[in-house]
């Protein structure tokens, strides 16, 4: 398990050379930790090892664990618990090993079978989306890492995050579920909103919806994120300001109930033509949340907020036509008369930690 190397360097074993594992292994290697083995089941994962970890042997999982002083578990959330238990049943864990998983969902409780064998358990989650390429290594610089572990060994987890360029934040075990839900809600549903807005713009005749949305969404996101942080990077004190909702613009913020009603009407009609009922439903839900938060922050007078929320509470009304909108405008089924949209495509970008 040991080899001649600089003091303080650890032999790293990567279990799951997917988008996350191969990148973190590469970053640790660049920090001076030799990677002694990696597991890679798919051809895609084997290619990642070749690209990001050249010269590292591809081994069976138990062999990776037996060689390593620092075991990096970068597998899907649902596979993590059975993997840890299975390796414990095989007697693969070794006392004194550092075992790190990168799941946002779990703390160190999921590593209990390994801890009972004497390992040092840590949960270290980088809050970013991975592409599985060398570009991700540079993007780790300044990336927040949520670190969870027993108090005596937290400095080890923090040091590992710093070594790959990250900024560690200690997170309690009990907070991991809410933390991960918050990240998924923000990142994944932002993607859904862009997809919905782009589909509606295409139906309106905009030839390049992405280009149309870019300056508006970049400015809105930048303003909201800046409002959530002080110049020093500390969280905004809600007693001193409204936070991100202070960056809200548009008809809800202005109490422009007529515009809100018009939006609902055209989106209901669009939903019928495009087969996209999720769009007006999402608009209603988020507009109600915007109105309630703007009211609570003192940004919207109570009478105006009541009018807006009343309009949003009205049941969806289906309308058969919108001027200038072709019958199949924006349809999710465009290009195929009988094949449904595949909700699980084989490739494309993933959200945080979706593909280990």
């Amino acid at each position: 398990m040991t080899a001649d190397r600089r003091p303080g360097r650890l032999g790293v074993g990567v279990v799951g050379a997917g988008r996350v594992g191969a990148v973190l292994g590469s970053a640790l290697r660049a920090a001076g930790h030799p990677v002694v083995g990696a597991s890679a089941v798919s051809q895609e994962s084997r290619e990642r090892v070749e690209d990001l970890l050249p010269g590292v042997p591809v081994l069976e999982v138990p062999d990776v664990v037996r060689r390593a002083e620092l075991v990096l578990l970068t597998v899907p959330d649902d596979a993590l618990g059975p993997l840890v238990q299975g390796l414990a049943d095989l007697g693969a864990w070794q006392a004194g090993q550092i075992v790190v998983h990168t799941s946002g969902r779990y703390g160190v409780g999921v590593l209990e079978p390994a801890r009972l064998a004497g390992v040092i358990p840590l949960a270290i989650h980088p809050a970013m989306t991975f592409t599985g390429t060398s570009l991700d290594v540079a993007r780790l610089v300044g990336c927040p890492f949520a670190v969870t572990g027993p108090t005596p060994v937290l400095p080890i987890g923090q040091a590992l995050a710093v070594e790959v360029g990250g900024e560690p934040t200690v997170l309690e075990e009990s907070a991991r579920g809410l933390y991960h839900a918050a990240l998924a809600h923000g990142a994944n549903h932002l993607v859904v909103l862009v997809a919905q807005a782009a589909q509606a713009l295409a139906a309106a005749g905009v030839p390049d919806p992405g280009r149309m949305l870019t300056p508006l969404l970049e400015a809105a996101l930048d303003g909201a994120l800046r409002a959530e942080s002080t110049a020093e990077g500390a969280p905004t004190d809600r007693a001193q300001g409204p936070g991100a909702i202070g960056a809200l613009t548009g008809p809800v913020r202005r109490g422009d109930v007529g515009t809100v009603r018009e939006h609902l009407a055209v989106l209901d009609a669009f939903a019928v033509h495009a087969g996209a009922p999720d769009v007006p439903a999402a608009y209603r839900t988020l507009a109600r949340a915007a109105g309630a938060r703007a009211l609570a922050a003192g940004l919207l007078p109570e009478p105006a907020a009541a009018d807006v929320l009343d309009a949003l509470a009205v049941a969806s009304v289906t309308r058969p036509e919108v001027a200038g909108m072709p019958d199949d405008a924006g349809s999710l089924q465009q290009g195929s008369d009988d094949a449904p949209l595949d909700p699980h495509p084989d490739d494309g970008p993933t959200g945080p930690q979706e593909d280990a």
Side-chain angles (χ1 to χ4, degrees), residues 205-272:
V206 175
D208 189 345
R211 184 175 181 182
M212 176 70 73
L213 287 168
T214 294
L216 178 67
L217 297 192
E218 286 183 346
L221 181 59
D222 182 67
L225 293 176
R226 285 177 181 275
E228 278 296 327
S229 299
T230 66
E232 292 77 25
T236 299
D237 183 351
R238 287 300 191 291
Q240 303 298 320
I245 203 67
L248 182 68
T249 62
V252 171
R253 170 69 176 82
R254 297 190 300 268
D256 192 347
V257 68
T259 300
V260 170
R261 288 195 181 104
E262 176 64 16
H263 287 178
L264 294 173
V266 296
L267 289 175
D268 283 340
F270 163 74
V272 174

Side-chain angles (χ1 to χ4, degrees), residues 101-166:
H101 77 72
T102 60
S103 168
R105 171 184 170 187
Y106 293 112
V108 294
V110 72
L111 298 176
E112 182 64 9
R115 189 195 67 79
L116 292 174
V119 312
I120 297 170
L122 288 165
I124 304 178
H125 179 256
M128 67 176 248
T129 296
F130 287 74
T131 64
T133 67
S134 59
L135 295 175
D136 291 338
V137 177
R139 293 175 60 230
L140 287 172
V141 177
C143 172
F145 279 69
V147 180
T148 300
T151 300
V153 299
L154 277 175
I156 298 174
Q158 292 169 301
L160 289 171
V162 169
E163 282 196 299
V164 298

Side-chain angles (χ1 to χ4, degrees), residues 328 331-342:
D328 64 348
S331 172
L332 291 174
Q333 309 299 334
Q334 287 186 52
S336 174
D337 294 332
D338 54 6
L341 180 71
D342 182 2

Side-chain angles (χ1 to χ4, degrees), residues 5-105:
R5 62 176 73 97
R6 290 193 289 131
R9 302 300 89 184
L10 301 169
V12 177
V14 179
V15 177
R19 289 182 175 93
V20 180
V23 169
L24 291 181
S26 178
L28 286 168
R29 193 185 208 185
H33 299 283
V35 179
V36 297
S39 69
V41 176
S42 69
Q43 181 59 35
E44 187 177 15
S45 293
R46 290 176 178 273
E47 290 173 357
R48 285 199 191 97
V49 173
E50 291 177 3
D51 291 342
L52 293 171
L53 300 169
V56 171
V58 175
L59 306 169
E60 296 297 321
V61 171
D63 294 328
V64 172
V65 172
R66 291 187 178 105
R67 286 188 177 204
E69 295 160 313
L70 168 59
V71 181
L72 194 60
L73 301 177
T74 50
V75 298
D77 290 351
D78 288 348
L80 182 58
L83 172 66
V84 174
Q85 183 63 62
L87 288 167
D89 293 342
L90 289 174
W93 300 118
Q94 301 166 70
Q97 278 181 316
I98 300 171
V99 179
V100 176
H101 77 72
T102 60
S103 168
R105 171 184 170 187

